[in-house]
Amino acid sequence: MGRVIGIDLGTTNSCVAVVDDGQPVVIPNAGGYKTTPSVFAIASECEYLVGYRAKRQAITNAKDTVFAAKRLIGRRFDSVEVQRSRGLYPYAILEGPNADPRIRVADRIFTCSEISATILQEMKKVAEAYLGESVDAAVITVPAYFNDAQRQSTQDAGRIAGLDVLRIINEPAAAALAYGMGREEEEKIAIYDLGGGTFDMSILEMSAGVVEVLATAGNTFLGGEDFDRRIVDHLLDVFEKDTGIDLKGDPVAMQRLKDAAEKAKCTLSLREVAEINLPFLGSGAEGPCHLACEIRRDELESLVEDIVDGTLESVQRCVKDAGLNADEIDHVVVVGGQSRMPMVQQAVANYFGQRPHKGVNPDEVVALGAAIQGSALVEGTQDVLLLDVTPLSLGISTYGGHFSRLIERNTTVPVNKSHLFTTTRDDQAAVKIRVFQGENEQALENDMLGEFVLSGIPPAPKGEPEIEVGFDIDSSGIVSVSARDLATGRQQSITVNSKSSLSCEEVDLIIEENTRLELAFRG
Ligand code: ADP
Ligand code: MG
């Protein structure tokens, strides 16, 4: 078997690491950089570009350059997040089979897994060039708050990239593994990870090689991209007030604004004022118009204050779910590029009453942790043990569309549980099992993972048949469900996956059908 690598597949940047002579190291790309932009593009004559080469040409090739595909992966096309992204990015996001989003690049249609696969393949190449040998296995990280569909689509991306995905692990847990290397003391740490597209918060307990996640919370659609967007909106206003020109429909201008916004945002992490100069941004009746303005740190802070506050709500819930008080946390580790913003650092420091730990490189720890986990899996060593949790409650829809939780959020994985259900009508010959993940009491308000029918139930009065439904979440957080009629031994099972996502019409049909095939708890 070739080498195993750890890949941090980020919304904005990706990073690859390997354990070499017992030490995890980050592998630089051909340009010498330790991270590679998660950007894919098709340039003239069908040339595929990934990473810096794709990012550099984005302004002149906006609609065929794909940023932030991770924000779309494993989501339904009609979800709020995908619909919001459609206005945010110049590339075309379309509805595909099973309501999965597809991305059009230079007249070719890609699934989000395929786009992510191009990035993973690039990281694989970076590692192979460095190691001088082929790499065929990887541990890939995802936000802790990713649901089953997002995890499965990421796993698919790995397979498409030609990698044997040994495990999907959570970014904060990976960061904790790297942070904990060589530390012996028992401690409780909080990991606050604010990246380009996602926010994750986890509380973990560490002791000599064992990392146990106590609780996790987050938002898979909140990150630096949203900060950029606030600045872009502000600049659009400034420009329109100045010139009367609305730039929203101009993809090149929008891409230039986004670039300038991100640069200004990063400058403002170091300085009080940033200058924005974009000549020839639009043209009006009197000829070309330019944008030249300044933005102050306090202005940026007031533009994004609510976003930062929003992250603190997750922090609060996470600490509570861990059964702790803020002052019981020994160390706070802050990772992700967006957490370099002083306001974010300050908010975290205020909440926990301590300065965040500075000893880790926020861009590299996640990949390092993935490499450590990969090496432990291959070597079969026992000195690293990661006990992670499932971020979302798992259950099924029962009588009246109620969400019956079978596995609560923050339960340690792997886990399996089963429960007995029964019919709601006399002589009901089949039941439909619909599986959801989420926290809402109404099943349909949560993420539907999939559904299947168990048929061939012998005629019996309602409430009599015993149907055992088993739920399994593996170490990668991936869900499978099975149902068995105890009288006949008939069994149906599925690895629930995003391919079974349903459209609105289908959901309507199910609701109707479900009144016929309803099931209820049995003692
Ligand atoms: P991801 O893990 O999602 O790929 P990263 O952790 O690499 O993301 O963070 C990328 C985000 O961090 C981008 O939105 C970027 O603009 C932002 N960022 C990077 N450096 C800074 C900085 N100095 N100040 C503020 N934001 C920054
Ligand atoms: Mg990240």
Side-chain angles (χ1 to χ4, degrees):
M1 179 166 175
R3 298 287 288 265
V4 52
I5 51 176
I7 304 176
D8 169 8
L9 176 63
T11 308
T12 323
N13 297 298
S14 294
C15 182
V16 57
V18 68
V19 174
D20 223 2
D21 281 336
Q23 276 308 312
V25 287
V26 166
I27 305 177
N29 61 26
Y33 297 101
K34 290 188 169 177
T35 60
T36 298
S38 306
V39 185
F40 167 72
I42 299 183
S44 54
E45 276 138 46
C46 294
E47 194 189 0
Y48 279 34
L49 302 175
V50 184
Y52 282 99
R53 291 178 65 215
K55 190 176 177 181
R56 262 189 232 117
Q57 52 87 66
I59 285 176
T60 54
N61 186 28
K63 78 177 185 35
D64 291 326
T65 303
V66 184
F67 285 92
K70 187 174 171 181
R71 294 194 115 183
L72 309 173
I73 202 165
R75 293 189 195 273
R76 295 168 47 85
F77 178 77
D78 54 17
S79 65
V80 180
E81 293 82 1
V82 171
Q83 291 307 314
R84 253 180 65 197
S85 303
R86 294 183 83 198
L88 236 55
Y89 304 107
Y91 55 85
I93 305 171
L94 318 167
E95 182 166 6
N98 300 316
D100 286 340
R102 295 286 196 273
I103 298 173
R104 186 173 59 216
V105 199
D107 296 326
R108 295 187 190 184
I109 307 285
F110 295 87
T111 63
C112 298
S113 294
E114 286 172 312
I115 301 280
S116 293
T118 65
I119 318 261
L120 291 171
Q121 216 157 23
E122 180 73 13
M123 303 319 287
K124 177 176 185 273
K125 273 193 224 150
V126 164
E128 287 176 337
Y130 171 89
L131 295 167
E133 60 182 300
S134 77
V135 167
D136 51 25
V139 167
I140 303 174
T141 62
V142 295
Y145 221 58
F146 255 21
N147 69 16
D148 178 72
Q150 293 167 307
R151 284 166 199 272
Q152 292 216 27
S153 300
T154 304
Q155 197 174 46
D156 291 347
R159 289 204 197 105
I160 297 168
L163 289 163
D164 177 10
V165 183
L166 300 183
R167 193 167 289 178
I168 297 285
I169 66 169
N170 294 331
E171 288 159 12
L177 278 177
Y179 165 85
M181 270 270 289
R183 294 176 76 95
E184 289 299 321
E185 61 263 58
E186 211 177 289
E187 50 191 0
K188 293 191 180 64
I189 65 164
I191 302 216
Y192 177 102
D193 178 357
L194 188 58
T198 59
F199 167 61
D200 258 342
M201 175 67 208
S202 291
I203 310 274
L204 311 96
E205 191 163 62
M206 326 253 309
S207 59
V210 180
V211 172
E212 184 180 358
V213 180
L214 300 179
T216 187
N219 183 340
T220 54
F221 206 77
L222 187 152
E225 295 270 326
D226 303 290
F227 289 61
D228 300 348
R229 184 66 203 185
R230 294 286 171 89
I231 305 174
V232 169
D233 286 343
H234 167 75
L235 296 176
L236 283 169
D237 277 354
V238 169
F239 193 75
E240 193 166 353
K241 271 197 198 104
D242 259 20
T243 65
I245 302 170
D246 175 6
L247 293 171
K248 279 192 228 55
D250 176 347
V252 173
M254 288 299 285
Q255 186 59 44
R256 288 179 70 197
L257 280 169
K258 185 181 179 301
D259 267 16
E262 194 200 349
K263 279 203 190 87
K265 176 186 78 176
C266 294
T267 303
L268 291 174
S269 292
L270 292 169
R271 303 213 180 101
E272 289 295 328
V273 185
E275 269 176 38
I276 292 165
N277 262 310
L278 293 170
F280 302 99
L281 193 59
S283 65
E286 281 110 61
C289 300
H290 319 295
L291 175 70
C293 64
E294 278 185 356
I295 175 163
R296 291 188 320 275
R297 185 184 283 180
D298 61 334
E299 272 179 286
L300 169 63
E301 291 179 349
S302 60
L303 289 174
V304 300
E305 199 174 1
D306 60 309
I307 306 183
V308 177
D309 287 349
T311 68
L312 290 182
E313 281 167 29
S314 299
V315 174
Q316 221 158 0
R317 191 186 93 175
C318 190
V319 173
K320 189 161 162 265
D321 281 357
L324 298 170
N325 291 318
D327 60 5
E328 291 174 90
I329 305 292
D330 299 304
H331 289 290
V332 180
V333 179
V334 165
V335 300
Q338 188 58 51
S339 67
R340 293 208 174 87
M341 184 181 185
M343 184 196 207
V344 172
Q345 299 257 340
Q346 195 56 50
V348 176
N350 288 349
Y351 181 82
F352 287 101
Q354 60 175 290
R355 303 292 317 162
H357 176 86
K358 293 276 180 209
V360 297
N361 182 324
D363 297 328
E364 300 174 7
V365 271
V366 173
L368 291 171
I372 295 170
Q373 176 71 74
S375 143
L377 287 173
V378 171
E379 310 283 329
T381 51
Q382 301 296 314
D383 43 343
V384 176
L385 179 62
L386 176 58
L387 298 170
D388 213 330
V389 298
T390 179
L392 298 159
S393 301
L394 178 70
I396 63 174
S397 168
T398 50
Y399 193 73
H402 179 77
F403 179 53
S404 298
R405 275 165 221 221
L406 277 303
I407 296 177
E408 294 283 336
R409 70 170 190 253
N410 291 322
T411 301
T412 302
V413 293
V415 56
N416 56 67
K417 267 196 187 156
S418 59
H419 211 288
L420 281 186
F421 292 88
T422 189
T423 50
T424 60
R425 288 183 306 111
D426 291 339
D427 299 336
Q428 188 174 329
V431 291
K432 182 170 275 181
I433 318 286
R434 295 194 293 150
V435 186
F436 293 85
Q437 244 179 346
E439 309 309 325
N440 202 294
E441 298 305 320
Q442 289 301 315
L444 281 179
E445 295 296 309
N446 297 316
D447 297 329
M448 184 194 262
L449 302 185
E451 57 160 6
F452 60 102
V453 173
L454 179 69
S455 55
I457 303 171
K462 68 178 178 188
E464 210 154 86
E466 294 180 299
I467 297 149
E468 187 183 62
V469 182
F471 292 80
D472 183 272
I473 306 179
D474 72 9
S475 307
S476 294
I478 289 172
V479 177
S480 42
V481 181
S482 63
R484 198 156 60 99
D485 174 10
L486 294 188
T488 61
R490 243 183 122 94
Q491 177 147 351
Q492 276 292 326
S493 61
I494 46 166
T495 298
V496 194
N497 69 58
S498 51
K499 303 293 168 290
S500 61
S501 309
L502 300 157
S503 71
C504 270
E505 291 79 0
E506 286 171 310
V507 172
D508 288 345
L509 254 177
I510 292 162
I511 297 174
E512 201 182 297
E513 207 178 9
N514 222 49
T515 33
R516 283 196 300 118
L517 302 183
E518 217 147 38
L519 81 175
F521 270 100
R522 188 180 200 282

